[in-house]
Amino acid sequence: MKYLILVGDGMGDRPMSELGGRTVLEAARTPAMDQLCRQGHLLQVQTVPSGFPPGSDVANLSLLGYRPEDCYSGRAPLEAAAMGIELAPDETAFRCNLVTLEHDVQGHTRMIDYSAGHIATDQAHILISALQQICANSTFRFYPGINYRHILVVKGAYPDLAPVPPHDFINQDVSRHWQRYLNDPTWQKLVLGAEQVLLNHPINQERIRRGQNPGNGIWLWGEGRLPRMTPIPEQYNLQGSLISAVDLLKGLGICAGLKIINVPGATGWIDTNYEGKAEAALHCLTDQDYVFVHVEAPDEAGHQGSRTAKLQAIEDFDRRIVAPIIAGLRERREEFRVIVTMDHFTPLELRTHTSDPVPALLYDSREMVPGCGLSFSEKNGKVANPEQQPISGAEMLATLLERRSQ
Ligand SMILES: [Zn+2]
């Protein structure tokens, strides 16, 4: 038996008057998902437990079958895992953004740019190595990542920071958050030392000359420790792979004990290599029994507030991911159980994630009995489960694998 989870990130939405009261998913042409749904079952899954922010990290952790309540501690350790950094049990990883900060004469600090002008990776690596040479010590280590996204590992206990994500404060006064770094001598020495190194660095001098935002500061956030996740192969005696363009997802996959498949041309946007991803999924299932395929484009389109792009992303997910994978399995006369779902809603009107329970269609190739008869949509997730509370991600995975929930 082959098991698949196919995820359209942020596919869920709210009804829109421009679409005659339908959601984008309802308005999109999605014959492959609708057919599987009609012949299968519709579940409703609470991917974001109450009290958690509706991030892709928490929601996909659920879809992978884990309880965020038990194992989630922050996004940075997942990104660190994707970068091949192995955290010791007494270490904490922070996301370390290269940012553009402005301090004025009154002592106010402003977040000009959370990405230092989307600084190029080669320039960023030089800056981060300078920080590693000058500011690192037995407590702090810097690891270069991609563009403005880097990791700081802190060994042992550290004074509380309660840091905030810099992209939530674009062009805003961040003085009171900056002050938290300055309140403690260890953090103060680190962030002010880093500013010294960065301000005077020739790369930043050159960026300023060219009118680009310099990476003149570091901003630490998203901290966490190594997540306590029993790997899927150990938990379910199942070997599997994860396919995604996104580092956070790859980190989750590594922590879940899955093989990470890097598909050339996978971009996380509507120009991604859909055919390559579908082909890779089918290839994984020749010698493994489980694959998790993640497509980022509907979420990005939601963040941009673009109805056209979201509609296209959902139709492409249906036609170029779901349809060819199912056709490939049928051609091989493979028995399979598949879930098609989303991690969370990214409503166009909000341009950010929500914690709504998500619909998940479950289809079993062996079942000949009539299915639920419903098309795949947010509303039908509720229609199919009128009396029932949404299930957790762990329960969803157990249902897919026909195991008892752990
Ligand atoms: Zn997401």
Side-chain angles (χ1 to χ4, degrees):
M1 176 61 67
K2 304 293 180 187
Y3 302 101
L4 303 89
I5 298 182
L6 311 179
V7 179
D9 198 302
M11 208 155 49
D13 215 298
R14 306 257 166 94
M16 301 177 80
S17 52
E18 299 92 322
L19 295 172
R22 292 173 301 172
T23 66
V24 203
L25 179 59
E26 286 170 328
R29 262 184 51 80
T30 53
M33 292 193 281
D34 290 336
Q35 197 195 15
L36 292 174
C37 196
R38 280 193 197 99
Q39 297 174 356
H41 309 278
L42 252 176
L43 312 169
Q44 243 203 330
V45 189
Q46 189 64 56
T47 51
V48 181
S50 69
F52 281 82
S56 288
D57 43 5
V58 169
N60 281 287
L61 191 59
S62 284
L63 293 182
L64 282 163
Y66 294 91
R67 284 169 44 84
E69 299 93 319
D70 296 341
C71 56
Y72 180 77
S73 91
R75 67 182 283 154
L78 302 170
E79 293 185 357
M83 285 161 61
I85 303 168
E86 285 183 22
L87 287 180
D90 69 335
E91 290 178 335
T92 304
F94 281 78
R95 163 68 94 70
C96 172
N97 277 42
L98 275 176
V99 295
T100 312
L101 292 175
E102 191 181 80
H103 306 292
D104 69 14
V105 283
Q106 281 100 40
H108 293 292
T109 299
R110 185 169 279 273
M111 175 66 63
I112 302 295
D113 188 342
Y114 70 95
S115 72
H118 278 81
I119 188 165
T121 301
D122 55 343
Q123 289 194 342
H125 276 210
I126 297 170
L127 295 177
I128 295 292
S129 340
L131 293 178
Q132 172 63 18
Q133 268 173 28
I134 300 165
C135 305
N137 51 36
S138 57
T139 307
F140 298 119
R141 290 195 315 280
F142 289 91
Y143 291 89
I146 294 169
N147 298 127
Y148 58 91
R149 307 188 295 269
H150 311 284
I151 293 287
L152 175 78
V153 173
V154 183
K155 197 165 183 59
Y158 59 90
D160 190 29
L161 260 185
V164 291
H167 51 259
D168 286 351
F169 294 89
I170 301 169
N171 216 13
Q172 289 180 38
D173 189 317
V174 287
S175 305
R176 72 196 163 90
H177 304 295
W178 181 247
Q179 192 56 43
R180 292 198 196 127
Y181 297 116
L182 306 185
N183 286 344
D184 170 79
T186 321
W187 288 117
Q188 188 188 63
K189 188 166 169 235
L190 181 78
V191 295
L192 295 185
E195 268 196 339
Q196 276 305 313
V197 173
L198 294 169
L199 268 176
N200 299 320
H201 200 283
I203 283 188
N204 277 327
Q205 301 292 335
E206 179 61 22
R207 289 184 70 81
I208 292 166
R209 258 196 304 279
R210 290 174 178 226
Q212 298 167 322
N213 282 338
N216 64 7
I218 57 170
W219 195 268
L220 308 168
W221 63 285
E223 80 282 13
R225 297 203 164 198
L226 197 66
R228 293 182 301 274
M229 294 162 66
T230 311
I232 287 171
E234 204 177 296
Q235 217 179 135
Y236 300 102
N237 191 25
L238 194 65
Q239 301 296 323
S241 294
L242 177 137
I243 299 171
S244 173
V246 177
D247 282 346
L248 194 63
L249 266 290
K250 293 179 191 178
L252 278 168
I254 290 168
C255 295
L258 299 174
K259 189 174 157 191
I260 306 304
I261 310 295
N262 291 302
V263 175
T267 59
W269 180 228
I270 51 174
D271 60 357
T272 198
N273 180 4
Y274 289 103
E275 284 70 25
K277 282 184 148 179
E279 211 173 288
L282 285 168
H283 185 75
C284 292
L285 293 176
T286 50
D287 58 353
Q288 293 184 322
D289 293 329
Y290 171 67
V291 71
F292 186 101
V293 182
H294 169 263
V295 172
E296 174 74 356
D299 179 61
E300 289 293 326
H303 286 297
Q304 290 190 6
S306 167
R307 197 171 75 227
T308 322
K310 189 160 182 181
L311 198 74
Q312 188 191 329
I314 293 173
E315 293 188 348
D316 283 343
F317 175 69
D318 186 77
R319 185 170 60 86
R320 297 166 71 184
I321 294 285
V322 180
I325 291 176
I326 301 303
L329 291 169
R330 286 200 168 123
E331 204 170 290
R332 290 191 208 160
R333 301 186 182 284
E334 202 79 78
E335 288 191 340
F336 64 92
R337 283 168 72 79
V338 58
I339 277 179
V340 185
T341 186
M342 60 204 71
D343 51 349
H344 51 73
F345 290 17
T346 310
L348 287 161
E349 58 172 357
L350 304 176
R351 298 180 63 169
T352 189
H353 306 169
T354 68
S355 305
D356 298 82
V358 303
L361 76 83
L362 168 66
Y363 173 83
D364 185 322
S365 67
R366 300 164 302 181
E367 276 180 6
M368 303 301 282
V369 292
C372 71
L374 296 165
S375 60
F376 183 56
S377 73
E378 299 88 343
K379 190 173 66 198
N380 284 345
K382 289 193 194 84
V383 171
N385 302 279
E387 304 293 329
Q388 222 181 327
Q389 286 294 318
I391 60 174
S392 69
E395 288 166 324
M396 183 198 84
L397 184 68
T399 307
L400 174 71
L401 302 179
E402 299 175 278
R403 317 276 169 100
R404 227 175 291 144
S405 182
Q406 313 213 336

mmCIF file of all heavy atoms in Angstrom, residues 29-39 315 317-324 326 330 340 361 363 376:
data_model
loop_
_atom_site.group_PDB
_atom_site.id
_atom_site.type_symbol
_atom_site.label_atom_id
_atom_site.label_comp_id
_atom_site.label_asym_id
_atom_site.label_seq_id
_atom_site.Cartn_x
_atom_site.Cartn_y
_atom_site.Cartn_z
ATOM 1 N N ARG A 29 -11.257 25.539 -11.305
ATOM 2 C CA ARG A 29 -11.566 24.263 -11.953
ATOM 3 C C ARG A 29 -10.611 23.212 -11.397
ATOM 4 O O ARG A 29 -9.409 23.259 -11.670
ATOM 5 C CB ARG A 29 -11.341 24.393 -13.464
ATOM 6 C CG ARG A 29 -12.624 24.656 -14.266
ATOM 7 C CD ARG A 29 -12.308 24.660 -15.763
ATOM 8 N NE ARG A 29 -11.546 23.455 -16.142
ATOM 9 C CZ ARG A 29 -12.089 22.262 -16.359
ATOM 10 N NH1 ARG A 29 -13.392 22.104 -16.248
ATOM 11 N NH2 ARG A 29 -11.338 21.245 -16.701
ATOM 12 N N THR A 30 -11.147 22.272 -10.589
ATOM 13 C CA THR A 30 -10.284 21.284 -9.940
ATOM 14 C C THR A 30 -10.871 19.882 -10.104
ATOM 15 O O THR A 30 -11.241 19.232 -9.122
ATOM 16 C CB THR A 30 -10.137 21.616 -8.432
ATOM 17 O OG1 THR A 30 -11.456 21.747 -7.861
ATOM 18 C CG2 THR A 30 -9.371 22.902 -8.215
ATOM 19 N N PRO A 31 -10.966 19.393 -11.359
ATOM 20 C CA PRO A 31 -11.637 18.106 -11.588
ATOM 21 C C PRO A 31 -10.966 16.927 -10.872
ATOM 22 O O PRO A 31 -11.664 16.021 -10.416
ATOM 23 C CB PRO A 31 -11.565 17.939 -13.117
ATOM 24 C CG PRO A 31 -10.520 18.905 -13.586
ATOM 25 C CD PRO A 31 -10.495 20.020 -12.613
ATOM 26 N N ALA A 32 -9.647 16.949 -10.751
ATOM 27 C CA ALA A 32 -8.965 15.790 -10.147
ATOM 28 C C ALA A 32 -9.312 15.681 -8.662
ATOM 29 O O ALA A 32 -9.700 14.615 -8.173
ATOM 30 C CB ALA A 32 -7.448 15.914 -10.346
ATOM 31 N N MET A 33 -9.205 16.812 -7.936
ATOM 32 C CA MET A 33 -9.518 16.784 -6.505
ATOM 33 C C MET A 33 -10.996 16.484 -6.284
ATOM 34 O O MET A 33 -11.358 15.729 -5.386
ATOM 35 C CB MET A 33 -9.149 18.121 -5.854
ATOM 36 C CG MET A 33 -7.654 18.377 -5.820
ATOM 37 S SD MET A 33 -7.173 19.750 -4.737
ATOM 38 C CE MET A 33 -7.539 21.174 -5.729
ATOM 39 N N ASP A 34 -11.865 17.084 -7.127
ATOM 40 C CA ASP A 34 -13.305 16.872 -6.942
ATOM 41 C C ASP A 34 -13.692 15.407 -7.139
ATOM 42 O O ASP A 34 -14.506 14.865 -6.396
ATOM 43 C CB ASP A 34 -14.104 17.777 -7.894
ATOM 44 C CG ASP A 34 -14.014 19.244 -7.487
ATOM 45 O OD1 ASP A 34 -13.758 19.500 -6.288
ATOM 46 O OD2 ASP A 34 -14.175 20.120 -8.338
ATOM 47 N N GLN A 35 -13.069 14.775 -8.135
ATOM 48 C CA GLN A 35 -13.400 13.369 -8.384
ATOM 49 C C GLN A 35 -12.950 12.480 -7.218
ATOM 50 O O GLN A 35 -13.702 11.614 -6.753
ATOM 51 C CB GLN A 35 -12.768 12.895 -9.694
ATOM 52 C CG GLN A 35 -13.423 11.615 -10.172
ATOM 53 C CD GLN A 35 -12.617 10.903 -11.242
ATOM 54 O OE1 GLN A 35 -11.435 11.214 -11.447
ATOM 55 N NE2 GLN A 35 -13.234 9.959 -11.910
ATOM 56 N N LEU A 36 -11.731 12.705 -6.735
ATOM 57 C CA LEU A 36 -11.239 11.915 -5.586
ATOM 58 C C LEU A 36 -12.143 12.115 -4.387
ATOM 59 O O LEU A 36 -12.452 11.183 -3.646
ATOM 60 C CB LEU A 36 -9.812 12.340 -5.213
ATOM 61 C CG LEU A 36 -8.700 12.006 -6.206
ATOM 62 C CD1 LEU A 36 -7.383 12.627 -5.735
ATOM 63 C CD2 LEU A 36 -8.534 10.489 -6.351
ATOM 64 N N CYS A 37 -12.579 13.372 -4.204
ATOM 65 C CA CYS A 37 -13.397 13.707 -3.047
ATOM 66 C C CYS A 37 -14.759 13.022 -3.136
ATOM 67 O O CYS A 37 -15.219 12.408 -2.170
ATOM 68 C CB CYS A 37 -13.545 15.219 -2.979
ATOM 69 S SG CYS A 37 -14.129 15.795 -1.397
ATOM 70 N N ARG A 38 -15.393 13.104 -4.311
ATOM 71 C CA ARG A 38 -16.716 12.484 -4.485
ATOM 72 C C ARG A 38 -16.676 10.993 -4.211
ATOM 73 O O ARG A 38 -17.577 10.430 -3.619
ATOM 74 C CB ARG A 38 -17.225 12.720 -5.915
ATOM 75 C CG ARG A 38 -17.807 14.097 -6.074
ATOM 76 C CD ARG A 38 -18.605 14.254 -7.363
ATOM 77 N NE ARG A 38 -18.758 15.681 -7.593
ATOM 78 C CZ ARG A 38 -18.002 16.398 -8.416
ATOM 79 N NH1 ARG A 38 -17.078 15.812 -9.153
ATOM 80 N NH2 ARG A 38 -18.189 17.690 -8.536
ATOM 81 N N GLN A 39 -15.587 10.368 -4.662
ATOM 82 C CA GLN A 39 -15.474 8.914 -4.477
ATOM 83 C C GLN A 39 -14.848 8.547 -3.132
ATOM 84 O O GLN A 39 -14.698 7.381 -2.811
ATOM 85 C CB GLN A 39 -14.634 8.321 -5.622
ATOM 86 C CG GLN A 39 -15.301 8.521 -6.966
ATOM 87 C CD GLN A 39 -14.432 8.066 -8.128
ATOM 88 O OE1 GLN A 39 -13.292 7.661 -7.936
ATOM 89 N NE2 GLN A 39 -14.970 8.122 -9.327
ATOM 90 N N GLU A 315 -5.527 25.718 -9.579
ATOM 91 C CA GLU A 315 -5.808 24.902 -10.773
ATOM 92 C C GLU A 315 -4.562 24.125 -11.208
ATOM 93 O O GLU A 315 -4.651 22.968 -11.601
ATOM 94 C CB GLU A 315 -6.344 25.789 -11.903
ATOM 95 C CG GLU A 315 -7.725 26.349 -11.548
ATOM 96 C CD GLU A 315 -8.417 27.086 -12.691
ATOM 97 O OE1 GLU A 315 -7.763 27.378 -13.709
ATOM 98 O OE2 GLU A 315 -9.630 27.371 -12.548
ATOM 99 N N PHE A 317 -2.130 23.158 -9.199
ATOM 100 C CA PHE A 317 -1.930 22.106 -8.191
ATOM 101 C C PHE A 317 -2.797 20.892 -8.541
ATOM 102 O O PHE A 317 -2.357 19.742 -8.502
ATOM 103 C CB PHE A 317 -2.290 22.665 -6.811
ATOM 104 C CG PHE A 317 -2.241 21.664 -5.691
ATOM 105 C CD1 PHE A 317 -1.032 21.134 -5.251
ATOM 106 C CD2 PHE A 317 -3.415 21.246 -5.061
ATOM 107 C CE1 PHE A 317 -0.983 20.213 -4.209
ATOM 108 C CE2 PHE A 317 -3.377 20.327 -4.017
ATOM 109 C CZ PHE A 317 -2.157 19.808 -3.605
ATOM 110 N N ASP A 318 -4.030 21.152 -8.957
ATOM 111 C CA ASP A 318 -4.954 20.076 -9.312
ATOM 112 C C ASP A 318 -4.501 19.346 -10.580
ATOM 113 O O ASP A 318 -4.409 18.123 -10.608
ATOM 114 C CB ASP A 318 -6.356 20.667 -9.543
ATOM 115 C CG ASP A 318 -7.396 19.586 -9.783
ATOM 116 O OD1 ASP A 318 -7.811 18.956 -8.797
ATOM 117 O OD2 ASP A 318 -7.770 19.360 -10.947
ATOM 118 N N ARG A 319 -4.186 20.125 -11.628
ATOM 119 C CA ARG A 319 -3.945 19.562 -12.950
ATOM 120 C C ARG A 319 -2.534 19.010 -13.102
ATOM 121 O O ARG A 319 -2.307 18.055 -13.824
ATOM 122 C CB ARG A 319 -4.188 20.665 -14.000
ATOM 123 C CG ARG A 319 -4.095 20.217 -15.446
ATOM 124 C CD ARG A 319 -4.593 21.314 -16.389
ATOM 125 N NE ARG A 319 -3.823 22.549 -16.262
ATOM 126 C CZ ARG A 319 -2.683 22.806 -16.927
ATOM 127 N NH1 ARG A 319 -2.206 21.929 -17.774
ATOM 128 N NH2 ARG A 319 -2.056 23.962 -16.754
ATOM 129 N N ARG A 320 -1.569 19.637 -12.379
ATOM 130 C CA ARG A 320 -0.172 19.274 -12.649
ATOM 131 C C ARG A 320 0.491 18.540 -11.493
ATOM 132 O O ARG A 320 1.621 18.080 -11.611
ATOM 133 C CB ARG A 320 0.596 20.557 -13.002
ATOM 134 C CG ARG A 320 0.035 21.194 -14.276
ATOM 135 C CD ARG A 320 0.510 22.607 -14.486
ATOM 136 N NE ARG A 320 1.922 22.665 -14.842
ATOM 137 C CZ ARG A 320 2.607 23.805 -15.000
ATOM 138 N NH1 ARG A 320 1.982 24.966 -14.823
ATOM 139 N NH2 ARG A 320 3.887 23.772 -15.309
ATOM 140 N N ILE A 321 -0.194 18.456 -10.335
ATOM 141 C CA ILE A 321 0.337 17.663 -9.205
ATOM 142 C C ILE A 321 -0.601 16.487 -8.929
ATOM 143 O O ILE A 321 -0.235 15.333 -9.082
ATOM 144 C CB ILE A 321 0.514 18.530 -7.927
ATOM 145 C CG1 ILE A 321 1.596 19.596 -8.133
ATOM 146 C CG2 ILE A 321 0.811 17.655 -6.710
ATOM 147 C CD1 ILE A 321 3.021 19.109 -8.116
ATOM 148 N N VAL A 322 -1.849 16.810 -8.526
ATOM 149 C CA VAL A 322 -2.777 15.755 -8.110
ATOM 150 C C VAL A 322 -3.076 14.803 -9.274
ATOM 151 O O VAL A 322 -2.893 13.581 -9.144
ATOM 152 C CB VAL A 322 -4.094 16.368 -7.545
ATOM 153 C CG1 VAL A 322 -5.045 15.260 -7.117
ATOM 154 C CG2 VAL A 322 -3.788 17.300 -6.370
ATOM 155 N N ALA A 323 -3.500 15.359 -10.417
ATOM 156 C CA ALA A 323 -3.917 14.504 -11.549
ATOM 157 C C ALA A 323 -2.807 13.562 -12.025
ATOM 158 O O ALA A 323 -3.020 12.349 -12.112
ATOM 159 C CB ALA A 323 -4.455 15.366 -12.690
ATOM 160 N N PRO A 324 -1.593 14.072 -12.328
ATOM 161 C CA PRO A 324 -0.568 13.143 -12.850
ATOM 162 C C PRO A 324 -0.094 12.114 -11.820
ATOM 163 O O PRO A 324 0.237 10.988 -12.197
ATOM 164 C CB PRO A 324 0.586 14.060 -13.273
ATOM 165 C CG PRO A 324 0.335 15.374 -12.618
ATOM 166 C CD PRO A 324 -1.130 15.476 -12.392
ATOM 167 N N ILE A 326 -1.952 10.707 -9.417
ATOM 168 C CA ILE A 326 -2.987 9.669 -9.337
ATOM 169 C C ILE A 326 -2.967 8.815 -10.613
ATOM 170 O O ILE A 326 -3.023 7.579 -10.551
ATOM 171 C CB ILE A 326 -4.393 10.306 -9.130
ATOM 172 C CG1 ILE A 326 -4.420 11.134 -7.833
ATOM 173 C CG2 ILE A 326 -5.487 9.241 -9.124
ATOM 174 C CD1 ILE A 326 -4.045 10.401 -6.567
ATOM 175 N N ARG A 330 -2.280 4.759 -10.865
ATOM 176 C CA ARG A 330 -3.282 3.868 -11.488
ATOM 177 C C ARG A 330 -2.641 3.068 -12.620
ATOM 178 O O ARG A 330 -2.913 1.878 -12.778
ATOM 179 C CB ARG A 330 -4.457 4.692 -12.017
ATOM 180 C CG ARG A 330 -5.328 5.189 -10.873
ATOM 181 C CD ARG A 330 -6.723 5.572 -11.352
ATOM 182 N NE ARG A 330 -7.590 5.773 -10.207
ATOM 183 C CZ ARG A 330 -8.262 6.893 -9.953
ATOM 184 N NH1 ARG A 330 -8.179 7.914 -10.783
ATOM 185 N NH2 ARG A 330 -9.030 6.979 -8.890
ATOM 186 N N VAL A 340 -5.562 14.775 0.212
ATOM 187 C CA VAL A 340 -5.250 16.068 -0.405
ATOM 188 C C VAL A 340 -5.817 17.143 0.510
ATOM 189 O O VAL A 340 -6.986 17.083 0.892
ATOM 190 C CB VAL A 340 -5.855 16.210 -1.817
ATOM 191 C CG1 VAL A 340 -5.409 17.518 -2.457
ATOM 192 C CG2 VAL A 340 -5.465 15.030 -2.700
ATOM 193 N N LEU A 361 -9.419 15.736 1.872
ATOM 194 C CA LEU A 361 -10.097 14.608 1.230
ATOM 195 C C LEU A 361 -9.235 13.369 1.382
ATOM 196 O O LEU A 361 -8.000 13.439 1.313
ATOM 197 C CB LEU A 361 -10.390 14.911 -0.245
ATOM 198 C CG LEU A 361 -9.276 14.856 -1.278
ATOM 199 C CD1 LEU A 361 -9.018 13.448 -1.781
ATOM 200 C CD2 LEU A 361 -9.617 15.751 -2.440
ATOM 201 N N TYR A 363 -8.903 9.448 -0.052
ATOM 202 C CA TYR A 363 -9.355 8.538 -1.099
ATOM 203 C C TYR A 363 -8.546 7.247 -1.014
ATOM 204 O O TYR A 363 -7.323 7.266 -0.853
ATOM 205 C CB TYR A 363 -9.174 9.194 -2.475
ATOM 206 C CG TYR A 363 -9.466 8.248 -3.623
ATOM 207 C CD1 TYR A 363 -10.769 8.045 -4.060
ATOM 208 C CD2 TYR A 363 -8.435 7.545 -4.236
ATOM 209 C CE1 TYR A 363 -11.046 7.161 -5.094
ATOM 210 C CE2 TYR A 363 -8.699 6.663 -5.277
ATOM 211 C CZ TYR A 363 -10.007 6.466 -5.696
ATOM 212 O OH TYR A 363 -10.271 5.592 -6.709
ATOM 213 N N PHE A 376 -14.500 19.077 -3.487
ATOM 214 C CA PHE A 376 -13.523 19.453 -2.468
ATOM 215 C C PHE A 376 -13.596 20.957 -2.204
ATOM 216 O O PHE A 376 -13.251 21.761 -3.065
ATOM 217 C CB PHE A 376 -12.116 19.074 -2.948
ATOM 218 C CG PHE A 376 -11.048 19.368 -1.931
ATOM 219 C CD1 PHE A 376 -11.114 18.835 -0.654
ATOM 220 C CD2 PHE A 376 -9.965 20.172 -2.268
ATOM 221 C CE1 PHE A 376 -10.125 19.102 0.282
ATOM 222 C CE2 PHE A 376 -8.966 20.436 -1.333
ATOM 223 C CZ PHE A 376 -9.048 19.904 -0.064
#
